[in-house]
Amino acid sequence: DEAPELVVLVLHSLKNQRESHMMGGLCVEEEERDISRGLKFPLSHLQALRQLQKAEHLAVAQLQLPTHEAKLNLVLALWSESLLHVL
């Protein structure tokens, strides 16, 4: 009865195990565990994620999010997964 929540998933392969990378044939349990390693953001973060994807250098203040806290949370989440380098 509830409308599905629209989210943005950021999936990456930085933490894949070398032995099983791109081997295919994962069982459902392993596949769910791999997806859980990704990051999930509200749809409102999509524009800011696109900004980061396109930019070589970008100040946190330039991100298109409503609050400074949202900007910092986004950057911290990406940095903690080694997807973002802070200069």
Side-chain angles (χ1 to χ4, degrees):
D1 293 336
E2 292 182 24
E5 177 187 5
L6 296 177
V7 297
V8 179
L9 293 175
V10 177
L11 303 176
H12 62 84
S13 60
L14 289 175
K15 296 181 180 179
N16 283 7
Q17 293 181 3
R18 183 171 284 206
E19 301 82 29
S20 61
H21 181 69
M22 296 190 70
M23 297 302 287
L26 291 175
C27 71
V28 173
E29 187 177 298
E30 288 174 338
E31 199 170 301
E32 287 175 2
R33 189 174 57 235
D34 285 344
I35 289 173
S36 69
R37 290 185 199 160
L39 299 171
K40 184 166 101 172
F41 298 103
L43 190 59
S44 62
H45 285 52
L46 181 60
Q47 189 61 34
L49 288 164
R50 285 184 174 164
Q51 280 182 276
L52 289 168
Q53 183 182 24
K54 292 177 183 179
E56 187 172 326
H57 299 285
L58 185 70
V60 174
Q62 294 174 317
L63 291 174
Q64 293 180 4
L65 287 171
T67 66
H68 187 66
E69 182 181 354
K71 295 173 186 182
L72 291 178
N73 287 338
L74 173 65
V75 171
L76 181 59
L78 294 169
W79 175 80
S80 68
E81 288 288 317
S82 301
L83 297 174
L84 187 70
H85 295 283
V86 178
L87 301 174

